[in-house]
Amino acid sequence: MVYDLLLKNATVIDPAQNLDGRFDVAVDGDRITAVAPSIVGEARQVVDLEGKILTPGWIDIHAHIFAGFTTWGFKADALCLSTGVTTIVDAGSPGWANFLAFKEFIVEPARTQMLTFVHISGIGLTYGPAGEMTDMRYAAPEQTAFVIQEWPDICVGVKVRQAAFQVGDNGVEPLRLAVEAGRLSGTPVMVHIGAGVALPDVLAGMRPGDIATHCYQGHGDHILGDGTEVIAEVWQARERGILFDLGHGGGSFNFEVAKRALANGFVSDIISTDIHSSSFESTVQSLPDAASKLLNLGIDLRDIVRQTTAAAAASIHRDDELGTLRPGTIADLAAFEILEGEYEFFDTHRQPHPGSALISPVLTVRAGQVYRPDDLRAEVEQEARRSAQTIRAIAGSNAAALQQLKQ
């Protein structure tokens, strides 16, 4: 048999199948054909991954990629393909009223698979300086659910942000309406947790399978409450099946909160970047960058791969097709090497943390097509430059103030 692509001699980690060892992977077209300790046969393209780690393509479930349409929109296609990310999910930049623009101008031209949570606010995150749910007239559960049901290939759930700036005096009423949209569409709700709305009240309104994002944020109303222990309501929520996502971003990852949570035995369920036009490079460069921070906090590499593949796919109900190397599924794969050295990582408060290991991307396969970081470098720089120019043009001298509003 002649394969289109044969990846040989890698250390394969696929938590969805409990695979952890030396395997070859064969690809035909856009599908994985075989995974075995040794695959004998010809291939149109052979890549030797001796000494490298090969995983399912990574999935970033929290980003803001509605570039040119929303305040924090970031052009992410080349960045994803240069860093092992084969699927990226926008966390509510589009609402029902501007979803079709997201579909036409963001999803359809992309090589990376781009999905979205649809914001309960009909305007989504169009205008950052104003909280999108301070005016409840923007809430649209029926229209939100309709869009999700009409375009299930793109829409994975509902987004709501539950912090004082975003909801004003409306408390958890936006969450209640988001959950209603989730019920109508049969999808999960991703909830931004932040200062100004009591976390126990937010968690009480969430359902099993819903996602609390920014779980290691340090701005108040976080998982440690006012102390150093993970509060009881967080443990109870986890027992009920609520998922906790990292959601790094420009203001939502605090090393001290993470360290104390890990000392309590509380580990995030999913790792995501919350990458956007003003967080890229300033606080988080990529999903491997965010994951490297947890690796250097003591999280096992196998668990990091689980959080960025199988767990991420399951959280958006795509684990039948994504987050695995099971033969017959889409040929989305990522290869990395672990570099050893002296590194310094920063949280969103610019607090440093030393590290001795860095997850470095080597190769990405998206739907059977091979991409290498060096080949995409100029394109990544161009994307970043355009995104930075956009935020500067919108914010002018108020970019720092706008970043604070994102928290």
Side-chain angles (χ1 to χ4, degrees), residues 2-36:
V2 179
Y3 301 106
D4 287 328
L5 174 65
L6 185 57
L7 305 170
K8 295 191 65 68
N9 303 318
T11 297
V12 169
I13 303 175
D14 180 5
Q17 298 189 90
N18 293 316
L19 286 181
D20 188 350
R22 191 180 178 94
F23 292 91
D24 295 346
V25 179
V27 172
D28 274 327
D30 66 352
R31 297 283 141 177
I32 295 172
T33 302
V35 180

Side-chain angles (χ1 to χ4, degrees), residues 68-130:
F69 294 84
T70 58
T71 305
W72 292 286
F74 178 75
K75 294 179 70 67
D77 194 24
L79 176 69
C80 290
L81 297 175
S82 68
T83 57
V85 174
T86 52
T87 297
I88 190 166
V89 186
D90 194 295
S93 297
W96 75 267
N98 55 7
F99 167 77
L100 288 177
F102 181 81
K103 172 181 178 292
E104 181 175 353
F105 297 108
I106 305 300
V107 174
E108 291 176 358
R111 297 158 296 183
T112 309
Q113 178 168 233
M114 295 187 171
L115 308 173
T116 194
F117 288 90
V118 181
H119 207 295
I120 190 59
S121 168
I123 63 171
L125 301 180
T126 302
Y127 186 59

Side-chain angles (χ1 to χ4, degrees), residues 217-228:
Q217 63 94 1
H219 292 286
D221 294 291
H222 53 66
I223 63 173
L224 301 180
D226 295 327
T228 60

